[in-house]
């Protein structure tokens, strides 16, 4: 028998945990992909890392409150908790460049 996956309630989402989760470039990219392309099944995420490492990244995102994971048989559907994060921390996803593109770097310095 499987145990339920832990997802913090909206009121329990901690800024420290969210910032920690989004401090990793791969986790931040996963969140960006979810924002741009919508929910994904784990198998649709293609990163040059071991499956166990990807699972760890997804667990950190889920337990911090950034993502919601729904078990569907043998697969898992992952969704960005955009509404919850925007209510708890307005503008945070833009500030950490999940929903807003990174600023262009100057190609030359005058």
């Amino acid at each position: 028998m499987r145990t339920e996956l832990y997802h913090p309630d909206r009121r329990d989402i901690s800024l420290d945990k969210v910032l920690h989760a989004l401090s990793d470039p791969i986790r931040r990219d996963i969140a960006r992909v979810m924002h741009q392309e919508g929910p994904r099944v784990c198998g649709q995420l293609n990163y040059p890392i071991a499956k166990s490492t990807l699972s760890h990244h997804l667990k950190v995102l889920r337990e911090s409150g950034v993502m919601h994971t729904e078990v569907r048989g043998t697969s898992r559907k992952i969704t960005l908790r955009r509404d919850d994060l925007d209510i708890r921390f307005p503008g945070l996803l833009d500030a950490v460049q999940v929903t807003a593109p990174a600023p262009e770097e100057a190609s030359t310095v005058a």
Side-chain angles (χ1 to χ4, degrees):
M1 183 173 172
R2 287 195 151 151
T3 59
E4 285 290 315
L5 296 175
Y6 172 74
H7 296 91
D9 290 331
R10 178 188 300 162
R11 68 181 178 278
D12 296 329
I13 297 174
S14 156
L15 180 60
D16 291 339
K17 288 182 181 179
V18 170
L19 289 175
H20 168 73
L22 296 175
S23 69
D24 182 276
I26 290 177
R27 292 193 292 256
R28 197 168 46 252
D29 191 66
I30 292 168
R32 183 189 54 76
V33 167
M34 297 293 152
H35 168 71
Q36 291 178 343
E37 300 176 13
R40 289 279 186 247
V41 174
C42 291
Q44 294 175 315
L45 298 171
N46 188 19
Y47 291 92
I49 56 176
K51 286 183 181 182
S52 60
T53 303
L54 179 59
S55 292
H56 170 74
H57 285 310
L58 294 172
K59 179 181 178 184
V60 170
L61 289 165
R62 177 177 45 81
E63 291 183 348
S64 69
V66 175
M67 299 288 173
H68 181 270
T69 303
E70 177 185 348
V71 178
R72 292 183 164 188
T74 58
S75 65
R76 293 171 182 229
K77 179 183 171 188
I78 305 159
T79 307
L80 179 66
R81 291 179 66 179
R82 173 75 193 260
D83 292 341
D84 290 336
L85 292 170
D86 284 346
I87 288 169
R88 288 283 291 146
F89 313 111
L92 176 68
L93 293 177
D94 291 335
V96 296
Q97 299 175 350
V98 167
T99 59
E104 294 293 324
E105 292 188 60
S107 58
T108 59
V109 177

